[in-house]
Amino acid sequence: MGFGLAVLGSAIGLGNIWRFPYVMGEYGGAAFLLVYLLVVLIMGLPLLLGEFAAGYHTHADGVGAYEKITPERPWRWAGWPGVAAAVVILMYYPVVTAWVAQYLWLALTGDMSVPAGAAQDARFVALTHDGLAVLLAQAIVLCVATGIVAAGVVSGIERTCKVLMPLFAVLLVGLAIYGLSLPGAQQGVDFMFHADWSAVLRPETWLVALGQALFTVGIGMGVMVTYGAYLPDSHALPRIGFTVIAGDTFVGLLACLIIFPAVFSLGLAPAQGPGLAFVILPEVFERMPGGNVAAVAFFLLLLIAALASMVSLLEVPIAVLMSRHGWRRLPAALLTGSVAFLISLPVALGEGTAWLQLDGMPTLLDLADRFASYVLLPLSALAIALVVGWRWQEKAACDAAGVQGIRARRLWWTSVRWLVPVLLVIVLVSGLVTA
Ligand code: TRP
């Protein structure tokens, strides 16, 4: 149970509450949801088990595990695209986490309301344009996350997750019920459940769903390899893998049930982009009796979820420095934390000032996010599937993945060996070409 909750702690983060709703809003609502569910089950689950198995079998980190499975080039490099993805995600994850911290501060100190007559997103725009404040918040959240990884308090994280995750779930359910009771909520629900089927036919939708699935579950960066290495017995892995995917998806759906009804009841458009959650949620809290208390609780929990995920992101380069270059944990953590601060500066400033934004171009945050989710993570997933499916023996791999029963073993093995790589190539190539 501790293992499952730790994996959930890394899985549940900004990907669920910030990213899932706005991506779904931009890519066609229900049609996107359907594609996402297919992708996360057909590709996400076998890949997650593959990562668990590689870690369980080799007791190594996300780079070393694949080297142990196969010393041959280029296969031995299969872990590196994941490290690259971690670095690119670290360019903007701290920025969005900083926004969460700033909203928490607003909720604690005063009101988050938008002045009468101002645009709905005035608060968000003002907040993200205050470069110094964002940088300060970013420095603080990175210090906290670095402190946690530096101390290596795995048990601390695990214990915190055990208490906070159920609390988080209760709060989410409560807010979803509130969201559904808003006037106009029906339109939001309709948006979530009435598909525009033409979106299913666009290859871009599939690539975006794949990127979202890898991002939100946390596949493709060797984090799950590291977790797999800690497990004394592999039997429970398939069940844990499925539970984590189901739980993570459930949280994303609840976030949508909070946000879309509110979007429509406020008369806004669902395709708002990265600001969606930050524009909508404060409005909801503002109208709610006792909303300020709920706002504090919500942003606090979101901050904790984001920090727990950030810890696992930081751990990727730290593990590489430690196991490959013999660094001690403290200097490795300090270096990684400082580098994360430096590389996230351009994104923080790019969101806030005009000097890094070109007309008609996505912001740096958007670019980094798309590159990591739609290029690096799928490439990394492809590398993982190829090494597990083609450079490893069926029996050893199935044993390590804890898959039991002839049929289930066949199914998983055929998936990692054939289905997943073939689908990955199709989705990646057609998605990139048409996008
Ligand atoms: N899953 C986290 C989220 O939804 C982000 C994250 C943490 C992640 N660790 C990861 C993504 C490893 C990919 C790989 O916010």
Side-chain angles (χ1 to χ4, degrees), residues 10-16 89 93 214-221 223 248 309-310 312-313 377:
S10 157
I12 295 176
L14 296 172
N16 305 69
I89 294 179
Y93 212 89
L214 298 175
F215 186 97
T216 185
V217 179
I219 301 167
M221 279 188 331
V223 171
D248 185 75
S309 294
M310 192 146 65
S312 84
L313 288 167
L377 287 180

Side-chain angles (χ1 to χ4, degrees), residues 49-287:
L49 280 181
E51 271 201 39
F52 278 154
Y56 178 80
H57 185 79
T58 60
H59 286 279
D61 60 278
V63 171
Y66 303 107
E67 292 174 346
K68 282 195 181 172
I69 291 175
T70 172
E72 285 162 53
R73 284 178 238 175
W75 307 106
R76 55 180 290 128
W77 297 322
W80 288 104
V83 178
V87 172
V88 175
I89 294 179
L90 277 172
M91 291 174 68
Y92 63 90
Y93 212 89
V95 178
V96 183
T97 310
W99 296 345
V100 176
Q102 285 174 287
Y103 271 97
L104 175 62
W105 180 249
L106 281 181
L108 281 169
T109 53
D111 82 321
M112 298 187 290
S113 62
V114 177
Q120 294 281 4
D121 62 356
R123 161 75 57 204
F124 178 67
V125 171
L127 192 136
T128 51
H129 278 59
D130 188 351
L132 268 184
V134 176
L135 289 190
L136 182 66
Q138 197 175 318
I140 294 173
V141 294
L142 268 168
C143 280
V144 173
T146 307
I148 296 174
V149 256
V153 278
V154 173
S155 66
I157 296 174
E158 198 182 297
R159 232 172 286 142
T160 325
C161 288
K162 268 188 195 164
V163 178
L164 287 170
M165 285 302 152
L167 193 61
F168 188 80
V170 169
L171 212 94
L172 272 178
V173 173
L175 281 170
I177 293 172
Y178 175 78
L180 290 174
S181 70
L182 290 173
Q186 189 57 39
Q187 256 176 299
V189 178
D190 286 350
F191 174 76
M192 277 185 71
F193 294 105
H194 281 272
D196 161 19
W197 295 111
S198 66
V200 176
L201 298 176
R202 275 189 289 134
E204 207 184 329
T205 310
W206 290 82
L207 181 58
V208 170
L210 172 69
Q212 171 62 23
L214 298 175
F215 186 97
T216 185
V217 179
I219 301 167
M221 279 188 331
V223 171
M224 299 303 168
V225 174
T226 318
Y227 281 128
Y230 285 118
L231 211 65
D233 178 3
S234 70
H235 278 36
L237 283 178
R239 209 185 56 231
I240 294 176
F242 183 80
T243 314
V244 166
I245 284 184
D248 185 75
T249 301
F250 181 65
V251 172
L253 280 176
L254 279 180
C256 291
L257 276 181
I258 297 171
I259 289 174
F260 288 123
V263 166
F264 285 94
S265 80
L266 300 175
L268 300 173
Q272 276 249 335
L276 185 65
F278 293 102
V279 174
I280 305 303
L281 286 178
E283 271 296 317
V284 176
F285 293 129
E286 198 58 37
R287 298 178 170 204

